[in-house]
Amino acid sequence: MSFLCLPRRRASLGCGRAALCLLAVLAWSSGSARPALAGHLLVSSNDGVLRFSDSTGAFVDAFVAQGAGGLVQSQGLTFGPDGSLYVSSQNTQRVLRFDGKTGAFAGAFVATGAGGLQLPMGLAFGPDGSLYVSSFGTSSILRFDGKTGAFQGAFVPSGNRWLDGPTGLAFGPDGNLYVGNAGTNGVLRFDGATGAFIDTIVPGTGVGSYGPIGPVFGPDGNLYVGNFYSNSVSRYDVRTGLPLGVFVSTGSGGLSGPTSMAFGPDGNLYVASGDLDSVLRFNGSTGAFIDFFVPQGRGGLYSPTWIAFSRPAAPSALVATAVSKTQTNLTWRDNSDDESAFAVWRKSAGGDWARLAVLPPNVTAFSDTGLSPVGSYTYRVRATHGYFASPWSNEATAAALPAPPSAPTNLAARARSATQVDLSWTDNSSNETAFSVWRKNGAGDWQRVGVIVPNLTSYSDAGVSPNTSYTYRVRAINDGGASAWSNEVTVSTPSAP
């Protein structure tokens, strides 16, 4: 049984624990989603999830139908590394999984009450690939295997002295975990690897901090926290924790009862308004009101609790092939349906990653030219959609091909018999993998007659005919190509005895 109220019922917020009725006051973590379906805004509404265009706000469909898979009071939304959509089913104490492209129910990912889960709220996939869930009812953060949903332990255990009604959560740019805390109306920071408490980065007495919505990290790296009671959004320096002032002023654009927020692919801030059954858009740089992105009640939207933007899927099957001493060719598989570009990154052995190229959508190949003929290079690719980027592809490494070897010199030929010619030459290279011997008969065409192991400087051609003139040439070869030709030498075989 839920102890929480829908955000529009603001007059009935007198629950026992401070701000207990803010269970619907959540926000999606911009750093936690790993979606496969690009180009849409998803909104938790009652017992389902609605889908809207992320460019126009037009209603697309009921992505997750009301009650699908037993969903009751949908809350936290996030996409997993597998591209599936994960939804907190608050009143059934579990986390459900849905197909990331069709919305079809794919099973209960976290079983009812697993690990003591009560009233699940925020969801975030961590840097380790695990799923982190804020358990509002037990004031703890639980961790589950990101592939199987198996309980891995309490990351922040129940009974700790810091958490009192955790809501939204997000991993910050520093790798630490930030958690909205309804009991103190603040935001707490925990070590992203151990779960140890670090500090209260947004105290309950901070600027306009009444009922924390979030936390959310903006494109500028700062921390944004919505204020449910004062209908505003504040901004904080994540490095120092110092307030940077009110970003969205109280009631701007008619904002009333904000329940969640997220930065969109256009870099602007989107805020769900529970009292207005709508989603408002604010300038991502100034906080100024832009418009009602999703007008009141569009598509049946009622009391939205959580919003999330989809992102393009990660490219896969990246292959790097060195084709010359200065060029490597890349190919990959495009798994996204609405990327605006592909970004190719490269690093040399022991070097740092640097962006190499930005390519148009649907491109799945790239040639990296002008490379140094020594060493190796590692590549990775990701799809982008506005300000959003997919997870990285696999990494692929290609060793730069060596420079071609130096040409042999001093080629000499002697007819040992009417059917054999002996050759010798000087080896001037140290990196050949073989020598290639070619021959032509008089004015005929050149033909390869032998491939010799490296460092060998002689060859016997036993395939000649008596009383015939032959011309020979030799070159060294390796993976980087072939050397120039040696000098040419002509010899005539004697008549047969």
Side-chain angles (χ1 to χ4, degrees):
M1 175 178 175
S2 173
F3 296 96
L4 304 174
C5 310
L6 290 175
R8 65 171 60 250
R9 298 181 175 88
R10 296 158 69 88
S12 61
L13 295 180
C15 302
R17 179 187 295 170
L20 274 181
C21 293
L22 291 178
L23 184 51
V25 184
L26 311 176
W28 165 74
S29 159
S30 62
S32 66
R34 298 289 188 275
L37 180 64
H40 293 101
L41 167 66
L42 301 183
V43 185
S44 294
S45 178
N46 285 340
D47 301 329
V49 178
L50 303 181
R51 177 165 59 169
F52 303 88
S53 166
D54 73 358
S55 58
T56 67
F59 175 65
V60 177
D61 58 15
F63 187 66
V64 175
Q66 293 289 310
L71 180 60
V72 181
Q73 189 56 52
S74 55
Q75 292 288 345
L77 302 177
T78 193
F79 285 85
D82 61 351
S84 297
L85 175 68
Y86 295 78
V87 184
S88 292
S89 181
Q90 179 188 15
N91 287 12
T92 60
Q93 330 297 339
R94 56 183 181 165
V95 178
L96 306 181
R97 178 167 55 183
F98 299 88
D99 186 281
K101 291 190 174 182
T102 67
F105 178 59
F109 186 71
V110 174
T112 299
L117 182 63
Q118 291 183 25
L119 304 178
M121 300 268 301
L123 304 175
F125 279 90
D128 60 354
S130 297
L131 176 65
Y132 293 77
V133 183
S134 57
S135 178
F136 188 93
T138 60
S139 291
S140 60
I141 306 297
L142 306 182
R143 180 167 54 184
F144 300 88
D145 186 280
K147 294 182 178 179
T148 66
F151 179 59
Q152 293 181 317
F155 189 67
V156 180
S158 181
N160 66 84
R161 57 181 179 151
W162 306 288
L163 282 180
D164 183 16
T167 56
L169 67 166
F171 282 89
D174 57 0
N176 292 318
L177 181 64
Y178 294 74
V179 183
N181 197 43
T184 62
N185 296 326
V187 176
L188 311 181
R189 177 163 52 181
F190 297 87
D191 186 286
T194 66
F197 176 73
I198 297 178
D199 57 12
T200 299
I201 190 165
V202 179
T205 56
V207 178
S209 182
Y210 303 106
I213 312 299
V216 169
F217 291 92
D220 58 1
N222 289 318
L223 175 65
Y224 292 76
V225 180
N227 311 304
F228 180 74
Y229 291 118
S230 62
N231 301 315
S232 62
V233 178
S234 297
R235 178 168 53 179
Y236 297 83
D237 187 318
V238 72
R239 295 166 299 178
T240 64
L242 295 175
L244 299 176
V246 175
F247 185 69
V248 174
S249 58
T250 297
S252 177
L255 180 62
S256 178
T259 56
S260 61
M261 60 186 185
F263 281 89
D266 58 359
N268 292 318
L269 180 65
Y270 294 73
V271 182
S273 177
D275 287 348
L276 302 179
D277 300 325
S278 60
V279 178
L280 285 66
R281 176 166 55 175
F282 299 88
N283 186 287
S285 299
T286 67
F289 174 71
I290 297 177
D291 58 11
F292 276 82
F293 187 71
V294 177
Q296 186 172 26
R298 174 176 285 177
L301 183 62
Y302 178 81
S303 247
T305 57
W306 212 284
I307 65 176
F309 283 95
S310 61
R311 301 186 183 186
S316 61
L318 175 64
V319 176
T321 305
V323 296
S324 76
K325 63 178 181 178
T326 59
Q327 178 176 329
T328 293
N329 289 346
L330 306 176
T331 60
W332 59 87
R333 182 180 300 122
D334 177 3
N335 297 316
S336 54
D337 56 7
D338 194 28
E339 77 277 358
S340 57
F342 283 103
V344 181
W345 290 60
R346 179 189 72 189
K347 69 173 181 178
S348 57
D352 295 325
W353 286 106
R355 191 175 67 184
L356 178 64
V358 177
L359 307 175
N362 302 320
V363 171
T364 56
F366 176 73
S367 292
D368 184 15
T369 58
L371 299 173
S372 167
V374 246
S376 62
Y377 295 90
T378 301
Y379 300 85
R380 62 186 184 183
V381 181
R382 63 182 177 185
T384 61
H385 177 68
Y387 279 84
F388 289 165
S390 75
W392 291 107
S393 69
N394 59 295
E395 295 181 3
T397 300
L401 296 179
S406 301
T409 57
N410 301 321
L411 176 63
R414 180 174 71 92
R416 175 177 289 274
S417 68
T419 58
Q420 179 175 323
V421 173
D422 289 345
L423 303 175
S424 64
W425 59 86
T426 300
D427 178 3
N428 297 311
S429 59
S430 60
N431 63 341
E432 80 274 2
T433 57
F435 286 102
S436 179
V437 180
W438 291 65
R439 178 189 74 194
K440 70 175 180 177
N441 182 352
D445 296 328
W446 286 103
Q447 294 182 329
R448 191 176 67 184
V449 295
V451 177
I452 315 304
V453 296
N455 302 318
L456 192 63
T457 56
S458 62
Y459 176 71
S460 293
D461 182 9
V464 297
S465 301
N467 197 26
T468 306
S469 175
Y470 293 98
T471 300
Y472 292 88
R473 64 184 183 183
V474 180
R475 65 182 178 184
I477 57 176
N478 63 17
D479 289 340
S483 74
W485 292 105
S486 70
N487 58 297
E488 295 180 4
V489 61
T490 300
V491 63
S492 295
T493 56
S495 299

